[in-house]
Amino acid sequence: MGFQICEMAFCTWLCLFSSSFIFVNGGTVVGDERLQGAVFVDRKAPIGEIDDDFICATLDWWPPEKCDYGTCSWGHASLLNLDLGNNILLNAIKAFSPLKLRLGGTLQDKVVYESKDLRKPCKQFINSSSEMFGFTQGCLPMQRWDELNSFFEKSGAVIIFGLNALAGRNIQPDGSVSGAWDPSNAESLIRYTVEKGHTIHGWELGNELSGNGVGTRVAADQYVSDLISLCNMVQEIYKNIESKPLILGPGGFFDAGWFTKFVNKTPKILDVVTHHIYNLGPGVDEHLIEKILDPSYLNGEANTFSSLKSILQGTRTSAVAWVGEAGGAYNSGHNHVTNAFVFSFWYLDQLGMAASYDTKTYCRQTLVGGNYGLLNTTTFVPNPDYYSALLWHRLMGRKVLSTTFSGTRKIRAYAHCAKQSQGITLLLINLDGNTTVDAKIALNGTHTHALHHKHRSGSKRVRLHHLHRNADTGREEYHLTAKDGNLQSQIMLLNGKILTLDSSGGIPPLEPVKVNSSEPITVAPFSIAFVHIPYIVLPACRQ
């Protein structure tokens, strides 16, 4: 199949074709403020496949008294006190149709579930400096569990629940735990859930207990034994239900040796391997923005994705990889950084990178709560990353295409087959605040009439095509920028227009601008562009 380029009267771009790649080379414009780059998209086969509901967010247990570095940023965002009657919250979740929600976090291993067998009052968390994580044990009342499930059903959310994996254990002086997991309280919750007809997509055991752990740790062999107990229990409780929930674990930070042993010994019982990412360091770090804008720093997390992918491919397991929790900067993030426009550079790059290593789902910490919520903790008004996530969800299809960009290190480039339409969708992230980048996309000649010529470039033969333009060769572009160019703004613009809720708290329409195919994609300084290109139909997207 041929590829076309614009006629020289219209532009000076050359589109070079090889047997495996679309190659677009625009040269380099002299000057410091504008350049032309090159996009490579492997057309033969996808390199990964994500879940249709790849986008996921978390809801946590932290009470209002949770404070970091003198700032208390959680408000009433806990699963125990979240305002389930808020219309903005409901609309924000419904807009995804569906949104995966992972219920869990640090305090999940200190949560007990109200039941007939619980021989003590169902009390809430109390701040206590002598306790691990700074809080006493807390309790989930079944009335609140029913309220939560009613809300999830109404919103269409897909629920993953993180179970307390420390039940029945003792923490040793060296930080490890002794004894096996006591599943009795978890069994009461799961049986109650099934009896009430609540739908849970997956049950996850424990939070950040793998490897060295956070607060405490569980050895891989013991974790395997505990997971077998969970799997057997779930199979028995759901034996008369056709659709079985997923079994997930360990929900912790990646440790190659620990994860290898864990995966090797759970080949038939584990559905999803979950890991957490806070690669930017503590929220108090004054250099967060510098890290976010540094391509080399962003590249560092690829090692984790690559290593986990290799472990899964090298064992007999059928389990897939998820990022079960990722807030970038731990200890609740950093106000006006992890809840501002600049964080979409990190977040979208993470989504693109994770997908390229065959990660199936990516759960953002948080939907609401802390300084890294997709929604404002107090008002539930969307922060910039909410709109970034929603655009990804609507535009990026399941099949992931190998993509690179040549011309500047400051452009991060990802491509997927388009979602629910033909063609491909590009994601271009410009980390440079001074340079506008022009990128040209080669057209697949499948559905266009072309005049064929031959041309020689260096030692390679390339075929040039003069495009006969028509109304069907346009593309749709979504350009995201910060209000007034302020990276720390919590207001995002789409194609120059402020994104704001309507009068009833509804999510605004996310409308593209139509651009003629002869025009280059122009990515402004410190901006993000989603580009849906329906006229590039690749073999990789037909598989």
Side-chain angles (χ1 to χ4, degrees):
M1 258 180 261
F3 291 80
Q4 296 90 12
I5 67 164
C6 301
E7 295 183 45
M8 300 302 289
F10 289 88
C11 65
T12 60
W13 295 85
L14 281 180
C15 304
L16 306 182
F17 169 77
S18 71
S19 61
S20 298
F21 292 93
I22 297 172
F23 172 43
V24 191
N25 186 5
T28 301
V29 175
V30 177
D32 296 331
E33 297 182 353
R34 197 173 196 101
L35 65 82
Q36 298 168 352
V39 177
F40 296 79
V41 179
D42 188 339
R43 69 191 188 94
K44 280 190 172 180
I47 58 172
E49 186 168 313
I50 62 175
D51 288 344
D52 194 54
D53 50 357
F54 175 74
I55 296 294
C56 168
T58 68
L59 288 172
D60 215 309
W61 293 99
W62 289 118
E65 295 79 15
K66 160 66 171 171
C67 304
D68 301 280
Y69 320 116
T71 300
C72 306
S73 58
W74 285 85
H76 288 81
S78 166
L79 286 162
L80 297 173
N81 56 32
L82 185 66
D83 181 6
L84 303 179
N86 186 282
N87 197 47
I88 297 175
L89 176 64
L90 178 64
N91 290 337
I93 297 174
K94 289 177 70 173
F96 283 85
S97 298
L99 176 65
K100 275 195 185 107
L101 289 177
R102 180 250 185 181
L103 315 183
T106 300
L107 292 184
Q108 82 177 52
D109 292 314
K110 303 195 77 169
V111 177
V112 296
Y113 320 114
E114 183 183 36
S115 70
K116 296 177 182 178
D117 299 326
L118 189 63
R119 298 175 182 177
K120 51 188 173 181
C122 190
K123 294 183 178 180
Q124 301 311 301
F125 294 107
I126 298 174
N127 200 342
S128 175
S129 59
S130 64
E131 292 279 343
M132 185 172 66
F133 307 129
F135 288 89
T136 62
Q137 192 177 74
C139 180
L140 172 63
M142 288 303 96
Q143 180 179 346
R144 179 62 176 180
W145 183 230
D146 291 338
E147 293 169 354
L148 285 165
N149 279 280
S150 177
F151 174 77
F152 297 145
E153 182 178 1
K154 185 177 181 181
S155 67
V158 175
I159 303 303
I160 309 299
F161 188 89
L163 294 164
N164 179 348
L166 293 183
R169 304 184 196 269
N170 295 311
I171 299 177
Q172 302 302 304
D174 66 353
S176 65
V177 299
S178 62
W181 175 56
D182 179 357
S184 58
N185 190 227
E187 181 177 358
S188 296
L189 174 68
I190 296 173
R191 286 192 183 279
Y192 179 89
T193 300
V194 171
E195 289 168 2
K196 296 288 285 190
H198 302 322
T199 300
I200 301 297
H201 185 62
W203 298 98
E204 183 178 34
L205 184 62
N207 182 81
E208 297 176 358
L209 301 173
S210 59
N212 292 327
V214 176
T216 188
R217 63 186 183 275
V218 177
D221 287 339
Q222 183 59 59
Y223 223 116
V224 170
S225 177
D226 299 334
L227 201 71
I228 291 172
S229 296
L230 173 62
C231 182
N232 290 338
M233 180 174 66
V234 168
Q235 289 297 320
E236 194 279 326
I237 295 173
Y238 283 83
K239 62 184 177 183
N240 295 321
I241 299 175
E242 182 177 355
S243 180
K244 304 293 192 294
L246 300 174
I247 301 296
L248 303 89
F253 292 103
F254 180 74
D255 177 294
W258 196 101
F259 270 66
T260 299
K261 182 180 290 187
F262 176 71
V263 171
N264 271 321
K265 295 188 176 184
T266 54
K268 296 182 180 180
I269 62 172
L270 185 66
D271 297 305
V272 179
V273 178
T274 49
H275 66 106
H276 295 181
I277 295 175
Y278 288 88
N279 62 320
L280 297 174
V284 74
D285 190 341
E286 297 179 355
H287 302 286
L288 290 176
I289 293 179
E290 294 174 33
K291 292 178 180 179
I292 292 167
L293 297 178
D294 181 353
S296 296
Y297 194 92
L298 296 179
N299 289 340
E301 195 59 28
N303 293 330
T304 295
F305 292 119
S306 177
S307 296
L308 180 54
K309 181 180 180 181
S310 295
I311 290 171
L312 295 178
Q313 290 178 335
T315 62
R316 294 175 294 118
T317 187
S318 60
V320 298
W322 286 18
V323 173
E325 180 182 317
Y330 58 82
N331 289 342
S332 305
H334 189 116
N335 195 27
H336 293 293
V337 176
T338 54
N339 53 11
F341 177 83
V342 68
F343 209 52
S344 277
F345 294 147
W346 175 86
Y347 180 39
L348 287 173
D349 187 68
Q350 275 282 298
L351 296 181
M353 184 184 296
S356 70
Y357 285 97
D358 209 28
T359 303
K360 303 304 183 183
T361 289
Y362 192 105
C363 298
R364 167 63 179 269
Q365 174 83 346
T366 61
L367 175 64
V368 57
N371 285 317
Y372 36 35
L374 296 179
L375 307 177
N376 181 280
T377 300
T378 304
T379 66
F380 298 109
V381 169
N383 287 321
D385 281 0
Y386 173 85
Y387 294 113
S388 295
L390 188 56
L391 278 171
W392 174 290
H393 177 74
R394 292 179 177 178
L395 297 173
M396 304 294 271
R398 297 189 65 183
K399 294 181 179 179
V400 188
L401 306 173
S402 178
T403 308
T404 58
F405 191 88
S406 177
T408 171
R409 295 174 59 249
K410 289 285 190 173
I411 288 285
R412 313 287 287 182
Y414 299 97
H416 287 220
C417 300
K419 193 169 190 176
Q420 298 178 343
S421 61
Q422 73 172 15
I424 66 172
T425 300
L426 288 181
L427 168 60
L428 301 175
I429 304 168
N430 189 354
L431 302 177
D432 194 321
N434 298 311
T435 304
T436 297
V437 177
D438 292 323
K440 189 70 178 179
I441 304 301
L443 302 181
N444 188 309
T446 305
H447 302 300
T448 55
H449 175 68
L451 299 176
H452 299 274
H453 300 274
K454 290 184 179 180
H455 177 73
R456 205 174 275 277
S457 175
S459 61
K460 294 183 179 180
R461 294 176 66 90
V462 292
R463 181 168 289 180
L464 307 185
H465 306 274
H466 295 293
L467 174 65
H468 288 252
R469 296 170 191 78
N470 55 55
D472 296 326
T473 59
R475 61 177 183 264
E476 297 176 331
E477 298 186 359
Y478 304 77
H479 293 268
L480 302 175
T481 53
K483 186 176 184 295
D484 300 325
N486 178 10
L487 292 183
Q488 294 182 262
S489 172
Q490 294 177 328
I491 298 176
M492 176 178 270
L493 279 65
L494 172 60
N495 297 324
K497 297 179 180 179
I498 291 176
L499 289 169
T500 185
L501 300 175
D502 64 26
S503 58
S504 61
I507 302 302
L510 304 180
E511 298 177 342
V513 291
K514 302 294 181 71
V515 181
N516 191 281
S517 62
S518 66
E519 299 296 323
I521 299 170
T522 299
V523 189
F526 283 156
S527 75
I528 297 161
F530 285 92
V531 185
H532 174 220
I533 311 166
Y535 47 80
I536 296 183
V537 183
L538 304 181
C541 297
R542 299 196 190 105
Q543 296 178 12

Coordinates of all heavy atoms in Angstrom, one line a residue, residues 375-419:
L375 N -10.6 15.2 41.1 CA -11.6 16.2 41.4 C -11.1 17.0 42.7 O -10.4 16.5 43.5 CB -12.9 15.5 41.7 CG -13.5 14.6 40.7 CD1 -14.8 13.9 41.2 CD2 -13.7 15.3 39.4
N376 N -11.6 18.2 42.8 CA -11.3 19.1 43.9 C -11.9 18.4 45.2 O -13.1 18.0 45.2 CB -11.8 20.5 43.7 CG -11.5 21.4 44.9 OD1 -12.2 21.4 45.9 ND2 -10.5 22.2 44.7
T377 N -11.1 18.3 46.3 CA -11.5 17.6 47.5 C -12.8 18.3 48.1 O -13.6 17.6 48.7 CB -10.4 17.6 48.5 OG1 -9.3 16.9 47.9 CG2 -10.8 16.9 49.8
T378 N -12.9 19.6 48.0 CA -14.0 20.3 48.6 C -15.3 20.4 47.7 O -16.4 20.2 48.1 CB -13.6 21.7 49.1 OG1 -12.5 21.5 50.0 CG2 -14.7 22.4 49.9
T379 N -15.0 20.8 46.5 CA -16.1 21.2 45.6 C -16.5 20.1 44.6 O -17.5 20.1 44.0 CB -15.8 22.5 44.8 OG1 -14.7 22.2 43.9 CG2 -15.4 23.6 45.7
F380 N -15.6 19.1 44.4 CA -15.7 18.1 43.4 C -15.5 18.6 42.0 O -15.7 17.9 41.0 CB -17.0 17.3 43.5 CG -17.1 16.6 44.8 CD1 -18.0 17.0 45.8 CD2 -16.3 15.5 45.1 CE1 -18.2 16.3 47.0 CE2 -16.5 14.8 46.3 CZ -17.4 15.2 47.3
V381 N -15.2 19.9 41.8 CA -15.0 20.4 40.5 C -13.7 19.8 39.9 O -12.7 19.6 40.5 CB -14.8 22.0 40.5 CG1 -14.3 22.5 39.2 CG2 -16.1 22.6 40.9
P382 N -13.8 19.3 38.6 CA -12.7 18.6 38.0 C -11.4 19.5 38.0 O -11.4 20.6 37.6 CB -13.1 18.3 36.6 CG -14.6 18.2 36.7 CD -15.0 19.3 37.7
N383 N -10.3 18.8 38.4 CA -8.9 19.4 38.1 C -8.5 19.0 36.7 O -9.2 18.2 36.1 CB -8.0 18.8 39.2 CG -8.2 19.4 40.6 OD1 -8.4 20.6 40.7 ND2 -8.0 18.5 41.6
P384 N -7.5 19.6 36.2 CA -7.1 19.4 34.8 C -6.9 17.9 34.5 O -7.3 17.5 33.4 CB -5.7 20.1 34.7 CG -5.9 21.3 35.6 CD -6.7 20.8 36.8
D385 N -6.3 17.1 35.4 CA -6.1 15.7 35.0 C -7.4 14.9 34.8 O -7.4 13.9 34.1 CB -5.3 15.0 36.1 CG -3.8 15.3 36.1 OD1 -3.4 16.1 35.2 OD2 -3.1 14.8 36.9
Y386 N -8.5 15.4 35.3 CA -9.8 14.7 35.1 C -10.1 14.8 33.6 O -10.4 13.8 33.0 CB -10.9 15.4 35.8 CG -12.3 14.8 35.5 CD1 -12.8 13.7 36.1 CD2 -13.0 15.4 34.5 CE1 -14.0 13.1 35.7 CE2 -14.3 14.9 34.1 CZ -14.7 13.7 34.7 OH -15.9 13.2 34.3
Y387 N -9.9 16.0 33.0 CA -10.2 16.1 31.6 C -9.2 15.3 30.7 O -9.6 14.8 29.7 CB -10.3 17.6 31.2 CG -11.4 18.3 31.8 CD1 -11.1 19.3 32.8 CD2 -12.7 18.0 31.5 CE1 -12.2 20.0 33.4 CE2 -13.8 18.7 32.1 CZ -13.5 19.7 33.1 OH -14.5 20.4 33.7
S388 N -7.9 15.3 31.2 CA -6.9 14.5 30.4 C -7.3 13.0 30.4 O -7.2 12.3 29.4 CB -5.6 14.7 31.1 OG -5.1 16.0 31.0
A389 N -7.8 12.5 31.6 CA -8.2 11.2 31.7 C -9.4 10.9 30.8 O -9.5 9.8 30.2 CB -8.5 10.8 33.2
L390 N -10.4 11.8 30.8 CA -11.6 11.6 30.0 C -11.3 11.6 28.5 O -11.9 10.7 27.8 CB -12.6 12.6 30.4 CG -14.0 12.5 29.8 CD1 -14.6 11.1 30.3 CD2 -15.0 13.6 30.3
L391 N -10.5 12.4 28.1 CA -10.1 12.4 26.7 C -9.4 11.1 26.3 O -9.7 10.5 25.3 CB -9.2 13.6 26.4 CG -9.9 14.9 26.1 CD1 -8.9 16.1 26.0 CD2 -10.8 14.9 24.8
W392 N -8.4 10.7 27.2 CA -7.8 9.4 26.9 C -8.9 8.3 26.8 O -8.9 7.5 25.8 CB -6.8 9.1 28.0 CG -6.2 7.7 27.9 CD1 -6.9 6.5 28.1 CD2 -4.9 7.3 27.5 NE1 -6.1 5.4 27.8 CE2 -4.9 5.9 27.4 CE3 -3.8 8.1 27.1 CZ2 -3.7 5.2 27.1 CZ3 -2.6 7.4 26.8 CH2 -2.6 6.0 26.8
H393 N -9.8 8.2 27.7 CA -10.8 7.2 27.8 C -11.6 7.2 26.5 O -12.0 6.1 26.0 CB -11.7 7.4 29.0 CG -12.8 6.4 29.1 ND1 -12.6 5.1 29.5 CD2 -14.1 6.6 28.9 CE1 -13.8 4.5 29.5 NE2 -14.7 5.4 29.1
R394 N -11.9 8.4 26.0 CA -12.8 8.4 24.8 C -12.1 8.3 23.5 O -12.7 7.9 22.5 CB -13.5 9.8 24.8 CG -14.5 9.9 26.0 CD -15.2 11.2 26.0 NE -16.3 11.3 27.1 CZ -17.0 12.4 27.3 NH1 -16.9 13.5 26.6 NH2 -17.9 12.3 28.3
L395 N -10.8 8.5 23.4 CA -10.1 8.6 22.2 C -9.1 7.4 21.9 O -8.9 7.0 20.8 CB -9.3 9.9 22.0 CG -10.2 11.2 22.0 CD1 -9.3 12.4 22.1 CD2 -11.1 11.2 20.8
M396 N -8.4 6.9 23.0 CA -7.4 6.0 22.8 C -8.0 4.6 22.9 O -8.5 4.1 23.9 CB -6.3 6.1 23.9 CG -5.7 7.6 24.0 SD -4.8 8.0 22.5 CE -3.1 7.4 23.0
G397 N -7.9 3.8 21.8 CA -8.4 2.5 21.7 C -7.6 1.5 22.4 O -6.5 1.8 23.0
R398 N -8.0 0.2 22.3 CA -7.3 -0.8 23.1 C -6.0 -1.2 22.5 O -5.1 -1.5 23.3 CB -8.2 -2.1 23.1 CG -9.6 -1.9 23.8 CD -10.3 -3.2 24.0 NE -9.6 -4.0 24.9 CZ -9.9 -5.3 25.3 NH1 -11.0 -5.8 24.7 NH2 -9.2 -6.0 26.1
K399 N -5.8 -1.1 21.2 CA -4.5 -1.6 20.6 C -3.5 -0.5 20.7 O -3.7 0.6 20.2 CB -4.8 -2.1 19.2 CG -5.6 -3.4 19.2 CD -5.8 -3.8 17.8 CE -6.7 -5.1 17.8 NZ -6.9 -5.6 16.4
V400 N -2.3 -0.8 21.2 CA -1.2 0.2 21.4 C -0.2 0.0 20.2 O 0.2 -1.1 19.9 CB -0.5 -0.1 22.7 CG1 0.5 1.0 23.0 CG2 -1.6 -0.2 23.9
L401 N 0.2 1.1 19.7 CA 1.1 1.1 18.5 C 2.5 1.7 19.0 O 2.6 2.6 19.7 CB 0.6 2.0 17.4 CG -0.8 1.7 16.9 CD1 -1.3 2.7 15.9 CD2 -0.9 0.3 16.3
S402 N 3.5 1.0 18.5 CA 4.9 1.5 18.8 C 5.1 2.8 18.1 O 4.9 3.0 16.9 CB 5.9 0.5 18.3 OG 7.2 0.9 18.5
T403 N 5.5 3.8 18.9 CA 5.6 5.2 18.4 C 6.8 5.9 19.0 O 7.1 5.8 20.2 CB 4.3 6.0 18.8 OG1 3.1 5.3 18.5 CG2 4.3 7.4 18.2
T404 N 7.5 6.6 18.1 CA 8.6 7.4 18.6 C 8.6 8.8 17.9 O 7.9 8.9 16.8 CB 10.0 6.8 18.3 OG1 10.1 6.5 16.8 CG2 10.1 5.5 19.0
F405 N 9.3 9.7 18.4 CA 9.4 11.1 17.8 C 10.8 11.5 17.7 O 11.6 11.3 18.6 CB 8.6 12.1 18.7 CG 8.4 13.4 18.1 CD1 7.3 13.7 17.3 CD2 9.4 14.4 18.2 CE1 7.1 14.9 16.7 CE2 9.2 15.7 17.6 CZ 8.1 15.9 16.8
S406 N 11.1 12.0 16.6 CA 12.5 12.4 16.3 C 12.5 13.9 16.0 O 11.7 14.4 15.3 CB 13.1 11.7 15.1 OG 14.4 12.2 14.7
G407 N 13.5 14.6 16.6 CA 13.6 16.1 16.3 C 13.8 16.8 17.6 O 14.4 17.9 17.7
T408 N 13.2 16.3 18.7 CA 13.4 16.9 20.1 C 13.1 15.9 21.1 O 12.1 15.1 21.0 CB 12.6 18.2 20.3 OG1 12.7 18.6 21.6 CG2 11.1 17.9 19.9
R409 N 13.8 15.9 22.2 CA 13.5 15.0 23.3 C 12.3 15.4 24.1 O 11.8 14.7 24.9 CB 14.8 14.9 24.2 CG 16.0 14.2 23.6 CD 17.2 14.3 24.6 NE 16.9 13.7 25.8 CZ 16.8 14.3 27.0 NH1 16.9 15.6 27.0 NH2 16.6 13.6 28.1
K410 N 11.9 16.7 23.9 CA 10.9 17.3 24.7 C 9.5 16.9 24.2 O 8.5 17.3 24.9 CB 11.1 18.8 24.7 CG 12.3 19.3 25.5 CD 12.0 19.2 27.0 CE 13.1 19.9 27.8 NZ 12.8 19.9 29.3
I411 N 9.4 16.2 23.2 CA 8.0 15.7 22.7 C 7.9 14.2 23.2 O 8.7 13.4 22.8 CB 7.8 15.8 21.2 CG1 7.6 17.3 20.8 CG2 6.6 15.0 20.8 CD1 6.3 17.9 21.2
R412 N 6.9 14.0 23.9 CA 6.5 12.6 24.3 C 5.4 12.2 23.3 O 4.4 12.9 23.2 CB 6.1 12.5 25.7 CG 7.0 13.2 26.7 CD 8.3 12.5 26.9 NE 8.1 11.3 27.7 CZ 9.1 10.6 28.1 NH1 10.4 10.9 27.7 NH2 8.9 9.5 28.8
A413 N 5.6 11.1 22.6 CA 4.6 10.7 21.6 C 4.1 9.2 21.8 O 4.9 8.3 22.1 CB 5.2 10.8 20.2
Y414 N 2.8 9.1 21.8 CA 2.1 7.8 21.9 C 1.0 7.7 20.9 O 0.5 8.7 20.5 CB 1.6 7.6 23.3 CG 2.6 7.7 24.4 CD1 2.9 8.8 25.1 CD2 3.4 6.6 24.7 CE1 3.9 8.9 26.1 CE2 4.4 6.6 25.7 CZ 4.6 7.8 26.3 OH 5.6 7.9 27.3
A415 N 0.7 6.4 20.5 CA -0.4 6.2 19.5 C -1.1 4.9 19.8 O -0.5 3.9 20.2 CB 0.2 6.2 18.1
H416 N -2.4 5.0 19.6 CA -3.3 3.8 19.7 C -4.1 3.8 18.5 O -4.4 4.8 17.8 CB -4.2 3.9 20.9 CG -3.5 3.7 22.2 ND1 -4.0 2.9 23.2 CD2 -2.2 4.1 22.7 CE1 -3.2 2.9 24.3 NE2 -2.1 3.6 24.0
C417 N -4.7 2.6 18.2 CA -5.8 2.5 17.2 C -6.9 3.3 17.9 O -7.1 3.3 19.1 CB -6.2 1.1 17.0 SG -4.9 0.1 16.3
A418 N -7.7 4.0 17.0 CA -8.7 4.9 17.6 C -9.8 4.1 18.3 O -10.0 2.9 18.0 CB -9.3 5.7 16.4
K419 N -10.5 4.7 19.2 CA -11.5 4.1 20.0 C -12.9 4.2 19.3 O -13.3 5.4 19.0 CB -11.6 4.6 21.4 CG -12.4 3.8 22.3 CD -12.2 4.2 23.8 CE -12.8 3.2 24.7 NZ -12.5 3.6 26.2

